[in-house]
Amino acid sequence: MRVLLWMFASLISFCLLAIGARELSGQVGVFQTLFFRSLIGAGLLFAIICYRGQLKQLKTERLPMHGLRSIFHFGAQYGWFLGIALLPLAEVFALEFTAPFWTAILAAVFLKERLSVQRIVAILAGLLGVFIIVQPGSEIFNPASLIVLAAAVGFAVAFISTKALTSTETPLTILFYMCLLQMPMGLLLAWSDWAAVDGRNMWIIVLISLAALSAHYCLNQALKLADVTLVVTLDFLRLPLIGAVGVIFYQEPFTLALIVGGLCMLLGNIANVYRPRNAKIEP
């Protein structure tokens, strides 16, 4: 139940993040947005840590792992923000949900989590869903879909890195170093195309920063309580919610291919988490 509550808070935060990103598309550069997001996040987290008198959380002996996570997560964010600008919101989220399948594979390799028959079924169903949604070779294929798929792989690496870090680091430490390390990345890449940001867009950037921190904090808490593959599978509930947002606020189509492909992913994920009532739950 605690995992479900943390994941519900996370999916609401991710949806607010997507709405903010859509509102900023074409007005503020992605790298500049990511810089401000990291700057605001690092400042807020530092203030929280100081207020709690927990400066020891600023210490870490795993800086290389933080760096690896930050690099892949930064690249994945960039691809995700581009996808938000170029594709319907529901399609971006649907393609992003290949992350659980990449995560299952990576978790089996690096965290020694068991790649059971159920998880193999989930992976195959997920790949089928991708082919249905993307429709490679057809006239309606959008190359931007490949950007979001690449971002999903980056998020999978970030998930695995987060799971590895939770054994020694607190969620606040993980988030603080993510913002701290991504800040110079965003500044360096945004410098050549820097533009003034008006008041409205700055408020949206603040919303994005707060929603991103909330999403990652809740996700980190869930990862401390459950198997990494189970956590990202529960994250699938974002799809119907963001689909409704796209239809209501942006008049985006909720196509048959998206519905069928999403159902394939959902069925695969249900197969992944289902256990008979009397079955022993793996530790």
Side-chain angles (χ1 to χ4, degrees):
M1 180 57 68
R2 284 189 296 165
V3 173
L4 288 175
L5 291 175
W6 282 119
M7 289 306 300
F8 178 76
S10 177
L11 72 92
I12 293 296
S13 299
F14 275 122
C15 287
L16 290 175
L17 176 59
I19 293 171
R22 170 58 63 83
E23 292 297 316
L24 287 180
S25 62
Q27 301 186 53
V28 181
V30 175
F31 288 129
Q32 191 170 347
T33 299
L34 295 179
F35 164 72
F36 279 120
R37 171 188 164 177
S38 298
L39 177 64
I40 295 170
L44 181 59
L45 289 168
F46 183 76
I48 292 173
I49 291 172
C50 290
Y51 176 77
R52 292 183 173 183
Q54 298 176 341
L55 291 177
K56 63 181 180 180
Q57 293 199 49
L58 298 178
K59 298 180 180 179
T60 182
E61 296 180 357
R62 306 185 68 182
L63 192 58
M65 180 61 74
H66 283 290
L68 176 69
R69 180 186 184 277
S70 296
I71 291 171
F72 277 94
H73 186 265
F74 185 87
Q77 285 182 104
Y78 180 75
W80 188 82
F81 271 78
L82 284 182
I84 288 291
L86 300 172
L87 296 170
L89 295 177
E91 184 172 345
V92 173
F93 274 47
L95 295 175
E96 183 190 348
F97 285 129
T98 58
F101 312 126
W102 306 122
T103 301
I105 297 172
L106 294 173
V109 175
F110 296 105
L111 300 183
K112 308 303 180 184
E113 292 185 4
R114 182 168 171 262
L115 192 61
S116 63
V117 173
Q118 289 175 302
R119 290 180 180 174
I120 293 174
V121 169
I123 292 169
L124 294 176
L127 293 177
L128 176 60
V130 169
F131 276 99
I132 293 174
I133 294 171
V134 175
Q135 300 183 45
S138 70
E139 294 182 358
I140 62 174
F141 169 70
N142 193 329
S145 301
L146 300 180
I147 297 175
V148 180
L149 285 173
V153 177
F155 282 129
V157 177
F159 283 137
I160 296 299
S161 303
T162 301
K163 184 64 175 178
L165 285 167
T166 54
S167 62
T168 59
E169 314 284 78
T170 67
L172 281 179
T173 302
I174 295 172
L175 289 176
F176 176 75
Y177 276 98
M178 178 189 76
C179 293
L180 186 66
L181 295 173
Q182 289 183 358
M183 194 191 316
M185 298 181 199
L187 180 60
L188 180 64
L189 294 169
W191 190 257
S192 62
D193 194 31
W194 193 269
V197 180
D198 62 29
R200 173 187 177 274
N201 288 335
M202 183 55 70
W203 278 113
I204 295 176
I205 290 174
V206 171
L207 171 65
I208 286 176
S209 302
L210 295 178
L213 286 177
S214 172
H216 285 91
Y217 182 81
C218 296
L219 186 63
N220 287 341
Q221 291 287 11
L223 284 168
K224 291 181 67 175
L225 297 172
D227 184 293
V228 63
T229 309
L230 173 60
V231 169
V232 293
T233 299
L234 291 173
D235 198 33
F236 187 89
L237 295 174
R238 274 193 279 153
L239 181 57
L241 179 59
I242 201 62
V245 169
V247 171
I248 295 171
F249 295 102
Y250 298 106
Q251 292 76 51
E252 295 178 348
F254 206 61
T255 63
L256 179 62
L258 183 60
I259 295 172
V260 174
L263 284 175
C264 286
M265 293 183 183
L266 178 59
L267 291 174
N269 283 310
I270 290 175
N272 180 37
V273 299
Y274 172 76
R275 293 184 180 90
R277 180 172 299 179
N278 298 323
K280 181 181 177 181
I281 298 178
E282 298 177 14

